[in-house]
Amino acid sequence: MDWAGWALFGLVATAALTAAMITAQLAGLTRLDLPLVLGALVTEDPDRARVVGFFLHLCAGQGFALGYAVAFTLLHRATWWIGALFGMLHVGIALTVILPLLPGVHPRMASHRAGPASTAVLEPPGLFALNYGVQTPVVAVVVHVIYGVVLGLLLHGT
């Protein structure tokens, strides 16, 4: 496995995913702000949360890129379409397992069971993150497929 390639390409793929997600958010296609959600785990201040969350997102992207790189190595091939399939698997788990469980561990995220006494500042994403807009699942799928395709293309030659 090409360690330097994984490190660089993980950053490139995460930057592509993040740029596509921010573009979709600015275009009004979703209200999901991953840097804010991640950064709010650490700080209450929204501006600081976005900065901290951006770097947490880069780290998470590196971790997932390592998983993709290991999987490509085990398959003895890296292609754009295998990367796209990995992206589909990745987003499927994120939308159906990780995001719905997030209110249980996030100190500033409400849950459906918290009731009116909750002082949380972030709404729960819900299944498929639909609480952040009906187009959010589509946006999430597209950006994660982009992530996988970028990794598959860049790791193809390594």
Side-chain angles (χ1 to χ4, degrees), residues 50-133:
R50 281 188 179 89
V51 173
V52 171
F54 173 78
F55 289 105
L56 288 173
H57 192 241
L58 281 180
C59 291
Q62 284 297 92
F64 282 108
L66 178 59
Y68 280 54
V70 168
F72 287 137
T73 299
L74 291 172
L75 293 173
H76 302 291
R77 63 193 289 193
T79 65
W80 68 268
W81 63 269
I82 294 174
L85 291 175
F86 287 163
M88 294 290 289
L89 177 64
H90 181 173
V91 75
I93 293 168
L95 290 175
T96 60
V97 178
I98 297 170
L99 283 175
L101 290 175
L102 197 54
V105 296
H106 200 298
R108 290 173 242 307
M109 185 174 281
S111 75
H112 292 291
R113 294 171 291 285
S118 174
T119 59
V121 294
L122 296 175
E123 66 181 311
L127 185 63
F128 302 119
L130 285 168
N131 290 352
Y132 293 121

Side-chain angles (χ1 to χ4, degrees), residues 5-6 8-14 61 64-66 68-69 72 78-80 83 145-156:
W6 154 73
L8 175 62
F9 301 151
L11 287 174
V12 171
T14 303
F64 282 108
L66 178 59
Y68 280 54
F72 287 137
T79 65
W80 68 268
V145 167
I146 289 170
Y147 178 84
V149 166
V150 168
L151 280 173
L153 287 171
L154 293 176
L155 290 170
H156 177 73

